[in-house]
Amino acid sequence: MDNDLFANPNDVSFAELLKICTEYFGEPRIRGSHHIFKTPWQGDPRINIQKDGKTAKPYQVKQVRDAVEKLIQESAKGNEQI
């Protein structure tokens, strides 16, 4: 994961965030300006991103960062058990 990208959540382009979400969570369902990604966890956790001009909304960048970190950690735990 590119930690430099997440270093300043106020300056992440929507296109970059969309690319990361698609890479980790697959193709989005699009409803208006909302791009909604399913996550592999129980319940109803979804990643929802939308443009704020040319950038992504900072709180959504943080949510994506947290979800990607969780996904990477769980993947690493799964690999350790093999």
Side-chain angles (χ1 to χ4, degrees):
M1 181 175 61
D2 186 0
N3 287 326
D4 291 340
L5 179 69
F6 294 114
N8 183 3
N10 295 318
D11 194 30
V12 175
S13 78
F14 178 78
E16 286 178 299
L17 193 63
L18 181 61
K19 181 179 173 186
I20 289 170
C21 286
T22 302
E23 180 181 330
Y24 283 97
F25 303 111
E27 290 298 317
R29 177 179 53 131
I30 301 172
R31 294 282 188 253
S33 65
H34 296 258
H35 291 65
I36 304 159
F37 296 87
K38 287 185 178 182
T39 60
W41 303 293
Q42 290 286 343
D44 193 27
R46 291 193 168 94
I47 302 293
N48 177 11
I49 64 171
Q50 61 192 125
K51 286 184 182 181
D52 188 13
K54 289 188 177 190
T55 61
K57 293 188 174 186
Y59 77 93
Q60 293 172 341
V61 173
K62 293 174 187 174
Q63 289 174 344
V64 170
R65 178 198 61 209
D66 294 346
V68 169
E69 285 176 353
K70 181 178 178 180
L71 192 65
I72 290 170
Q73 287 173 355
E74 288 185 0
S75 176
K77 284 181 186 176
N79 288 339
E80 289 174 2
Q81 295 176 358
I82 294 176

